[in-house]
Amino acid sequence: MEELAAASGLSKSAIEEAEASQVFANAGVTDRLRSIFESKGVLFLGAGEDDAGAGPGLRLRQQFHDEGIRPQNLNAANDD
């Protein structure tokens, strides 16, 4: 909680209030929290935005790591 409060500039009580709320009344708080989570790789999905066509939810962004050329694909054509 401390890390989220520090990153967002929000108080712990504001974050706790947002967590407990059924309806987000303070758009500024939710926008800040969403921005922090998105910067950490969380995707917010609306209804039907996922592969299964389910309701709204969250997904972690897939990380792309360039691992270079796999050993089985090494040959003289790609030797630099």
Side-chain angles (χ1 to χ4, degrees):
M1 173 85 65
E2 287 87 19
E3 186 178 338
L4 181 56
S8 66
L10 298 168
S11 67
K12 289 188 229 177
S13 62
I15 295 170
E16 289 170 350
E17 197 173 295
E19 287 177 337
S21 178
Q22 294 293 321
V23 177
F24 297 113
N26 189 334
V29 170
T30 56
D31 288 345
R32 277 190 187 182
L33 292 173
R34 182 177 182 141
S35 177
I36 294 298
F37 287 121
E38 286 176 339
S39 74
K40 301 295 184 185
V42 175
L43 299 174
F44 289 79
L45 303 174
E49 288 186 44
D50 66 347
D51 296 334
L58 302 171
R59 177 179 288 167
L60 294 177
R61 184 179 328 126
Q62 293 180 345
Q63 298 292 326
F64 174 77
H65 298 287
D66 183 9
E67 298 176 12
I69 301 171
R70 296 196 175 273
Q72 65 269 24
N73 296 328
L74 290 174
N75 58 46
N78 55 34
D79 189 17
D80 288 334

